[in-house]
């Protein structure tokens, strides 16, 4: 039997690729993003795209109420919406940092709060929260992004324990380097603060590395995420974490077992 699935951040990359795969497998898939024009192809193959901003409570209410009215349930919520804010702690305006948390953390929490009552009533459900290998490690110029993803990890762990009694699974997805718009967003962020920054040299090196990764074989295709999400959805007892994509497993392993100073040295050697 197909499941009713709600995916945020599905206008491109991992969200869109996975939505298409799940639709082809017979699931009822609702996709939401601000850029609804970029989800028309999902509608053409049987999906249900809806425009929504994860920071707008009225938008969230409209989406959840629409799905419940039409389907009567939401079996899977994949909190995938998010973006990467890059720049030094000194340079990034705090208003931009707050926006990072509004989308990556509070948007995810708002979606969860609206959907959980229906899953609880049904006595089952699965919530997938997109973190990152960056939720377990760190890299210079990524303080606000890493902080938001560390918050996703902690929130998800607490949520998992709270919802276990209601037979609701909470799974953390930790992608590595995936070929998405992430790199271009990073470069755009640097462009806004480069002129007067004391960190220009470091920014230039990170930009060079980002471009080389995009041009070469430095990233996995979004299909690896689609396969992982399918595996999670089809599992009666999914793992608590799925680390998928280029460098995800080795980078988190190094962060876990090598200690701060050695890991710092390895990271800085790349710059």
């Amino acid at each position: 039997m197909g499941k009713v699935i709600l995916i945020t951040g599905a206008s491109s990359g991992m969200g869109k690729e996975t939505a298409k795969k799940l639709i082809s497998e017979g699931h009822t898939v609702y996709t939401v993003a601000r850029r609804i024009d970029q989800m028309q192809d999902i509608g053409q193959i049987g999906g249900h795209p809806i425009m929504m901003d994860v920071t707008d409570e009225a938008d969230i209410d409209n989406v959840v109420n629409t799905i419940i009215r039409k389907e009567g349930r939401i079996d899977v919520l994949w909190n995938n919406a998010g973006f990467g804010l890059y720049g030094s702690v000194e340079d990034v305006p705090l208003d931009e940092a707050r926006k990072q948390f509004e989308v990556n953390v509070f948007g995810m929490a708002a979606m969860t709060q609206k959907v959980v009552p229906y899953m609880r009533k049904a006595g089952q459900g699965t919530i997938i929260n997109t973190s990152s290998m960056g939720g377990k490690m760190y890299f210079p110029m990524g303080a606000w992004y890493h902080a938001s993803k560390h918050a996703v990890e902690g929130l998800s762990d607490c949520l998992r324990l709270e919802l276990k009694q209601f037979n609701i699974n909470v799974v953390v997805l930790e992608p590595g380097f995936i070929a998405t718009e992430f790199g271009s967003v990073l470069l755009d962020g640097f462009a806004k603060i480069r002129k007067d920054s004391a960190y220009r040299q470091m920014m230039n090196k990170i930009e060079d590395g980002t471009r080389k990764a995009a041009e070469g074989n430095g990233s996995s295709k979004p299909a690896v995420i689609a396969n992982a999400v399918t595996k999670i959805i089809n599992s009666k007892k999914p793992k608590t974490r799925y680390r998928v994509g280029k460098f995800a497993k080795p980078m988190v392993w190094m962060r876990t077992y090598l200690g701060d100073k050695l890991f710092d040295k390895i990271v800085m050697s790349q710059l």
Side-chain angles (χ1 to χ4, degrees), residues 133-134 136-137 174-177 220 243-258 263 266-267:
M133 69 178 184
K136 293 292 193 182
M137 42 79 73
E174 297 175 338
F177 290 147
S220 298
R243 214 159 280 150
V244 185
K246 196 116 183 183
F247 301 124
K249 291 181 179 179
M251 288 297 288
V252 175
W253 185 92
M254 286 191 291
R255 175 66 191 104
T256 302
Y257 294 105
L258 297 186
F263 186 77
I266 291 170
V267 168

Side-chain angles (χ1 to χ4, degrees), residues 7 11 42 68 77 135 153 168-169 176 191 247:
I7 303 174
S11 60
I42 293 175
I68 294 300
L77 167 63
E153 296 273 346
I168 300 172
N169 300 310
F247 301 124

Side-chain angles (χ1 to χ4, degrees), residues 148-224:
S148 73
K149 291 304 184 180
H150 277 67
V152 168
E153 296 273 346
L155 188 151
S156 299
D157 285 336
C158 294
L159 185 67
R160 182 178 68 253
L161 299 181
E162 293 167 4
L163 297 184
K164 185 175 182 180
Q165 62 185 313
F166 303 115
N167 195 34
I168 300 172
N169 300 310
V170 177
V171 178
V172 180
L173 187 61
E174 297 175 338
F177 290 147
I178 308 295
T180 66
E181 296 178 344
F182 189 92
S184 62
V185 172
L186 181 154
L187 298 178
D188 288 345
F190 278 179
K192 295 177 182 178
I193 60 176
R194 175 193 307 281
K195 184 178 178 181
D196 300 317
S197 177
Y199 305 87
R200 288 190 297 276
Q201 185 176 359
M202 181 177 284
M203 292 163 69
N204 289 339
K205 292 180 178 179
I206 292 173
E207 281 188 345
D208 289 343
T210 300
R211 288 196 179 95
K212 288 177 182 178
E215 293 168 0
N217 192 31
S219 301
S220 298
K221 294 181 179 180
V224 302

Side-chain angles (χ1 to χ4, degrees), residues 8-186:
T8 69
S11 60
S12 64
M14 302 186 304
K16 175 176 280 194
E17 184 81 15
T18 304
K20 290 180 176 179
K21 180 176 175 60
L22 294 172
I23 291 166
S24 72
E25 293 174 350
H27 298 290
T28 301
V29 181
Y30 285 80
T31 59
V32 297
R34 291 178 300 164
R35 300 177 296 181
I36 192 168
D37 57 304
Q38 295 191 22
M39 297 191 292
Q40 296 307 309
D41 51 343
I42 293 175
Q44 291 168 3
I45 61 172
H48 305 275
I50 306 175
M51 184 170 67
M52 194 199 81
D53 184 337
V54 295
T55 66
D56 189 317
E57 187 174 0
D59 274 8
I60 297 173
D61 282 332
N62 174 61
V63 167
V64 173
N65 291 338
T66 296
I67 298 172
I68 294 300
R69 186 171 63 251
K70 291 184 177 180
E71 312 296 341
R73 69 188 200 276
I74 298 173
D75 300 311
V76 178
L77 167 63
W78 179 17
N79 286 308
N80 179 59
F83 72 99
L85 175 64
Y86 272 73
S88 72
V89 174
E90 181 180 350
D91 288 333
V92 173
L94 289 183
D95 282 347
E96 291 296 312
R98 292 187 183 98
K99 182 180 177 182
Q100 175 83 116
F101 271 76
E102 285 293 338
V103 174
N104 289 11
V105 182
F106 295 111
M108 180 190 76
M111 289 297 305
T112 301
Q113 287 184 338
K114 300 295 184 180
V115 171
V116 161
Y118 296 102
M119 289 185 171
R120 190 161 39 76
K121 185 177 179 180
Q124 62 86 32
T126 296
I127 297 172
I128 305 170
N129 291 334
T130 298
S131 177
S132 165
M133 69 178 184
K136 293 292 193 182
M137 42 79 73
Y138 49 86
F139 201 76
M141 300 284 126
W144 295 112
Y145 173 72
H146 288 291
S148 73
K149 291 304 184 180
H150 277 67
V152 168
E153 296 273 346
L155 188 151
S156 299
D157 285 336
C158 294
L159 185 67
R160 182 178 68 253
L161 299 181
E162 293 167 4
L163 297 184
K164 185 175 182 180
Q165 62 185 313
F166 303 115
N167 195 34
I168 300 172
N169 300 310
V170 177
V171 178
V172 180
L173 187 61
E174 297 175 338
F177 290 147
I178 308 295
T180 66
E181 296 178 344
F182 189 92
S184 62
V185 172
L186 181 154

